[in-house]
Amino acid sequence: MAGNVTSLFRGTAAHSPSMAALTREGDGAGPVDFCIPCNPYFPTPAMFDELAGRLREIITYYPSSADTITSELCSLLQLPPQCVAMGNGSTELITWIDHLLVRESLAIPVPTFGRWTDQPMETGKRVDMFPLQESTGFALDLASYAKFIRSRGTKVAVICNPNNPDGGFLPRQSVIQFMDAMADLDLVVIDESFLEFADAESEPSVVEDAVMRPNVIVLRSLGKNFGLHGIRFGYMVANPSLAGKVRSMLPKWNLNSFAETVVFMLKNHGKEYMESLHMVRRDRLDMARQLSALPGLTIYPSQGNFLFVRLPVGAEGTVVRDRLLTEHRILVRECGNKVGSSSRFLRLVVRPQSDVRRLVAGLEQVLYGSRQETAVPELSNSGTGYGSGNAMVDRLVGATNGAGMQGLAAQANAWPGQPAPAVPQPVAAAAPQPSLPSAPQPRPAASPYPAQQPAAAPGYPAPQQPLAAQGYPAPGPASWPAPAQSPGAMPAQMPPAAMQAPAPSPGLQPAAQTGMPGMAGGASMGAQGGLTAAQVRGRTQPEPPPPQPSGGWGAVGAILYNQAG
């Protein structure tokens, strides 16, 4: 496999090769998966045995209609079916939300799930990217985000809670305040795909609040929570008008028989499901403790089933990723192709302790091994090596400053031969400013987890702790930026940069450095004067040109960037 690793990663439209592709290239067994954020404890072995016993029936016959499957899911969730639309994975729902409900522009904090940045750009929308600051541990300050939305005149706002890839969490009351402050927008989307793994609050979801508001959609995942990414199923919740508009456009049989079988099995396995979530939360604490013992590694607090990790100075993520795969049969998510991140960051999925010990041993060998000929290279200082990991998206964002481009698919074949735009040098970080009470509080970066946590009975959440004790910001301020006098109207003149940071104002300055390990000086991703496309993504080595396809569908399929997260 060693000689094929690079081609495997370059030859996929997603961020990583599929497990099927890796298995074919290996010895018939896939690597230990720290890449795809899936629940490792559900379904139970007995449930898999039941599915295997029914395999012939499941793959032979048509499933029931989506209405039938949705009704069963709603009976479990105690939601009215008219407020729910089920999709073939969250990406199908995001696609329809973009086509049906996003008119001109969409705001999203970055880094985040790639389809929220790429899908609107592929249909010619302007994407206003609000950069989360490394200096504050990527914490999202909702008041600053709201001011950014007002300054840009954005029509749709998205929040991922917890955020992917950093796992940042927003308290429920803060999210409700934000939804109400943005009541004049066309749409507010709260993506709760990973919220089942959170334990910072006992009731963190805003699903019940969304159905009572005219412009709010909550997106939920099933594949991640149930450990079944391959089935591709998820759902959205909104008021009956919004949910019905999306539901009416979905194909008649967009849900397959595996999805139907699992949904109808769940009513008999609720206890096992709750226990699986408890075990993931327990493993998240243990995994963070083990990783924080590695010198120079920065671990960010997470409420998802993954941890966002910054590599030590001198480590290049693609090299670490490739060596872990070829030398240790471990697959990790290198985040150089996430807008707002760089190849110094990995997203590591929470797994059982035996797997984590294998990961830690592999990282120790790759990062601190004595073999100089295979040492992880130093960071490039040329200033010209920035890239997202996907050359087409780099060119698109660089050429349009995030504004999208019509007829993108028709131009796909011509783009690979064009040179990438020149990349400016990163802007120096702003000088630290005094923090007022409304300023975002930094999330602790190194080993923020308690040494011990009381065990909970199987099937019940772990004991709760105050949010402040876990390193998360308190609920947002009571006052928010006032809506425009003419709701939905665009300002007369728009700022030229689609990823422009909010104008400086008291209490909204980037917080000062707070002693996160490995962060010398004051270098952060933010800049008061706004960010260019190159500055919010920061790869440390140049991206080689993608291989030209030898036949088949051509390059059009290669432009679908970051499909799987």
Side-chain angles (χ1 to χ4, degrees):
M1 172 183 278
N4 295 329
V5 165
T6 300
S7 62
L8 282 173
F9 281 91
R10 300 296 179 222
T12 177
H15 57 72
S16 301
S18 68
M19 189 59 65
L22 291 169
T23 301
R24 287 191 294 269
E25 289 292 336
D27 55 4
V32 179
D33 180 20
F34 282 91
C35 178
I36 306 302
C38 218
N39 185 345
Y41 296 112
F42 198 84
T44 64
M47 293 177 69
F48 275 119
D49 289 343
E50 181 179 347
L51 288 169
R54 300 176 59 185
L55 178 61
R56 187 183 187 93
E57 169 193 340
I58 290 171
I59 66 175
T60 298
Y61 300 106
Y62 272 112
S64 300
S65 68
D67 290 343
T68 299
I69 304 172
T70 301
S71 295
E72 175 66 14
L73 179 69
C74 288
S75 70
L76 295 173
L77 302 176
Q78 298 183 348
L79 289 171
Q82 63 268 29
C83 295
V84 175
M86 286 191 71
N88 190 245
S90 61
T91 51
E92 180 179 56
L93 295 171
I94 291 172
T95 300
W96 282 111
I97 289 170
D98 172 52
H99 280 287
L100 297 174
L101 303 173
V102 180
R103 288 193 293 155
E104 299 174 2
S105 54
L106 178 144
I108 180 72
V110 293
T112 195
F113 178 49
R115 293 314 302 166
W116 283 120
T117 55
D118 306 340
Q119 172 63 40
M121 282 199 294
E122 289 168 7
T123 53
K125 317 293 173 45
R126 191 187 80 235
V127 179
D128 296 333
M129 303 184 199
F130 180 78
L132 300 176
Q133 304 297 319
E134 184 178 340
S135 60
T136 58
F138 299 98
L140 172 60
D141 177 51
L142 288 176
S144 297
Y145 184 40
K147 289 178 184 260
F148 172 80
I149 291 168
R150 295 301 181 199
S151 71
R152 297 291 294 131
T154 318
K155 295 184 178 297
V156 174
V158 178
I159 291 175
C160 295
N161 190 37
N163 190 43
N164 171 11
D166 59 281
F169 175 80
L170 296 166
R172 175 175 174 270
Q173 194 56 44
S174 296
V175 177
I176 293 174
Q177 288 179 335
F178 178 83
M179 293 190 307
D180 290 341
M182 300 290 109
D184 61 310
L185 296 189
D186 288 355
L187 186 67
V188 177
V189 180
I190 312 298
D191 189 337
E192 295 183 347
S193 291
F194 295 97
L195 197 62
E196 294 290 322
F197 300 104
D199 59 4
E201 290 183 331
S202 58
E203 297 291 340
S205 178
V206 295
V207 161
E208 295 182 358
D209 306 279
V211 300
M212 298 184 292
R213 287 163 170 79
N215 70 331
V216 177
I217 287 176
V218 174
L219 200 64
R220 303 298 299 269
S221 173
L222 294 174
K224 301 174 182 66
N225 308 334
F226 297 152
L228 295 168
H229 269 295
I231 289 182
R232 308 302 303 136
F233 59 158
Y235 66 99
M236 56 163 278
V237 183
N239 68 72
S241 177
L242 276 178
K245 189 170 185 178
V246 174
R247 192 169 54 244
S248 67
M249 298 301 295
L250 295 172
K252 183 68 174 177
W253 280 289
N254 69 317
L255 302 176
N256 58 57
S257 295
F258 271 110
E260 177 178 13
T261 303
V262 171
V263 168
F264 275 83
M265 288 174 63
L266 291 177
K267 59 188 173 186
N268 299 321
H269 297 279
K271 180 180 178 181
E272 294 94 327
Y273 174 62
M274 293 303 297
E275 187 172 354
S276 76
L277 297 178
H278 170 70
M279 289 190 288
V280 170
R281 296 162 185 159
R282 175 204 64 194
D283 288 349
R284 182 172 61 207
L285 294 172
D286 178 77
M287 183 172 169
R289 281 194 290 266
Q290 291 195 50
L291 289 172
S292 64
L294 296 178
L297 212 65
T298 302
I299 317 299
Y300 295 91
S302 172
Q303 284 285 288
N305 63 329
F306 46 80
L307 297 173
F308 199 44
V309 174
R310 190 183 64 208
L311 296 170
V313 173
E316 211 288 327
T318 58
V319 178
V320 173
R321 176 200 68 195
D322 291 353
R323 285 189 56 191
L324 283 173
L325 183 58
T326 57
E327 298 172 16
H328 301 277
R329 297 291 291 160
I330 294 172
L331 178 65
V332 300
R333 169 64 158 108
E334 179 266 322
C335 292
N337 64 350
K338 273 189 177 289
V339 178
S341 179
S342 79
S343 56
R344 275 198 68 192
F345 292 89
L346 304 178
R347 185 193 67 193
L348 302 174
V349 172
V350 173
R351 291 195 60 84
Q353 296 179 13
S354 58
D355 291 342
V356 174
R357 287 193 291 270
R358 179 172 171 176
L359 171 68
V360 171
L363 284 171
E364 286 179 332
Q365 178 61 42
V366 170
L367 294 175
Y368 319 113
S370 59
R371 293 177 294 169
Q372 296 299 319
E373 70 274 9
T374 57
V376 174
E378 291 294 320
L379 291 169
S380 168
N381 294 318
S382 64
T384 60
Y386 291 95
S388 73
N390 183 295
M392 189 285 302
V393 173
D394 269 348
R395 285 189 286 270
L396 172 63
V397 177
T400 68
N401 222 350
M405 180 169 291
Q406 299 285 359
L408 180 62
Q411 303 179 45
N413 285 316
W415 279 53
Q418 295 182 6
V423 178
Q425 294 288 339
V427 179
Q433 299 291 329
S435 296
L436 298 180
S438 60
Q441 298 300 314
R443 293 160 59 193
S447 190
Y449 299 89
Q452 293 183 347
Q453 181 167 339
Y460 293 90
Q464 303 298 312
Q465 299 183 45
L467 290 174
Q470 302 181 53
Y472 293 100
S479 60
W480 296 86
Q485 293 182 354
S486 299
M490 300 290 285
Q493 292 187 1
M494 298 299 299
M499 290 174 287
Q500 183 174 355
S505 60
L508 296 174
Q509 302 294 333
Q513 296 286 334
T514 54
M516 289 191 287
M519 292 191 65
S524 71
M525 290 168 53
Q528 287 185 337
L531 299 178
T532 67
Q535 290 162 1
V536 298
R537 48 182 78 233
R539 192 178 182 85
T540 58
Q541 289 189 351
E543 179 74 16
Q548 295 297 319
S550 58
W553 288 88
V556 175
I559 69 171
L560 300 179
Y561 163 67
N562 209 9
Q563 292 273 6

